[in-house]
Amino acid sequence: MEKILSLAFERRHMKNGYRVPGVLLLLGAIVGFILYRIGAFGALLRQAELGTKDDWNRLGASPHGAERYPPQGMTVSGESLLITNHWNGAKSGLYRVDPETGDILAQALMPSEARHTSGLTWDGEWLWALDHESNYLYKLDAEATFEAGQAVVERRFDTGLRGASGLTLLEVSGEEFFAVSDFLWTIETTPSLPVGSARTYIVPRERLERGGSVRQAARLSYPNGGYSQGLTWDGTYLYESLNNFGTDRIEVRDVSEALGRDDADDIERVGSFEGPAGRIEDLGTDGERLWTTDEGTYDLYRLDSFGRIRESFSR
């Protein structure tokens, strides 16, 4: 919800010489949002098929959760979790965290323009970070970053999105892809209204690193229903965390066959299961366990039964 409010709150807007008060823009955004969501297959009302809410273990506060800094991005890197938060829109922090206890092992700051870093993924050498505020994708040297206490940026890419949110790296048939989710704002309007079809894009890594926007470089995309908060990949399925009314859910999709055929119609929705609370964020997995955070409770959670849940989708 913080993401949509940050986009909707503008004091005034100039168009054709007329000044439109910010409150009217906000009301228009709210009305547009309601109308759009009604037509988006009831995404906010959809409930998960598997009731796993009580299976999650609360590990403790997310990084600086006690100061009420909302957690955002997450990925697994070796024996650690990497997690970002935002300091209520002022800046974003990056943390190396113990996956068993939630203790902070190292920390650094993201670049100054990256004030809402919402997605992370680790490729074994580089840390990739997606920022919702700047809409940039950053390629970071993680070790140098933690040593310096400040992001060491190898490259920066403009995604061309209006609401960049989730990020993960996947490998299918020897080719690497980034999955990048757009929170709500695929279609640009003036003034900004939530009338687009929020989508998740699957982009060949090589093509993205050559330059060009996410939408231009994407091989496939699918509508995610809006409020996509995070993505992760376990080697078989793509997992996407989505906010909805009540307990949030995690959607499971099989994208391998679709990528092999270059046909988005072959993307298979496998199922869904419950998150631990009502405002979950990004996801991270080591293949056997799944982690997430929640920006409503400011907590870090782990799902130890993830392997069993994953196998249930394979039957």
Side-chain angles (χ1 to χ4, degrees), residues 201-263:
Y201 300 88
I202 303 178
V203 187
R205 173 175 175 169
E206 182 182 11
R207 190 183 300 175
L208 185 63
E209 292 198 72
R210 287 201 305 263
S213 72
V214 165
R215 276 180 284 177
Q216 291 171 337
R219 180 174 295 180
L220 302 175
S221 71
Y222 61 85
N224 59 44
Y227 282 112
S228 171
Q229 295 286 2
L231 293 159
T232 196
W233 168 257
D234 69 353
T236 301
Y237 296 129
L238 181 65
Y239 300 82
E240 186 162 16
S241 53
L242 297 168
N243 293 158
N244 50 235
F245 291 125
T247 300
D248 290 343
R249 72 186 191 278
I250 297 167
E251 291 280 322
V252 186
R253 289 182 172 87
D254 186 341
V255 300
S256 298
E257 187 171 335
L259 285 169
R261 297 182 179 180
D262 284 348
D263 189 346

Side-chain angles (χ1 to χ4, degrees), residues 79-105:
E79 299 299 317
S80 302
L81 291 177
L82 301 180
I83 298 176
T84 56
N85 62 10
H86 72 78
W87 298 14
N88 296 313
K91 60 183 71 175
S92 280
L94 171 66
Y95 307 87
R96 177 176 284 143
V97 171
D98 187 314
E100 308 301 329
T101 65
D103 292 340
I104 296 173
L105 305 176

Side-chain angles (χ1 to χ4, degrees), residues 41-100:
F41 5 94
L44 283 173
L45 298 175
R46 183 179 294 157
Q47 300 300 305
E49 285 104 345
L50 295 182
T52 54
K53 179 179 179 180
D54 294 335
D55 293 345
W56 292 83
N57 298 312
R58 177 185 175 276
L59 301 181
S62 58
H64 295 291
E67 290 91 344
R68 304 185 74 79
Y69 289 169
Q72 292 294 302
M74 175 184 289
T75 192
V76 173
S77 170
E79 299 299 317
S80 302
L81 291 177
L82 301 180
I83 298 176
T84 56
N85 62 10
H86 72 78
W87 298 14
N88 296 313
K91 60 183 71 175
S92 280
L94 171 66
Y95 307 87
R96 177 176 284 143
V97 171
D98 187 314
E100 308 301 329

Side-chain angles (χ1 to χ4, degrees), residues 4 8 16 31 34 53 56 77 114 118 126 137 157 166 174 181 195 239 248 255 261 267 281 284 296:
I4 189 171
N16 298 329
V31 171
I34 293 171
K53 179 179 179 180
W56 292 83
S77 170
S118 55
W126 302 97
L137 174 63
F157 305 84
S181 67
V195 295
Y239 300 82
D248 290 343
V255 300
R261 297 182 179 180
I267 294 175
E281 288 291 329

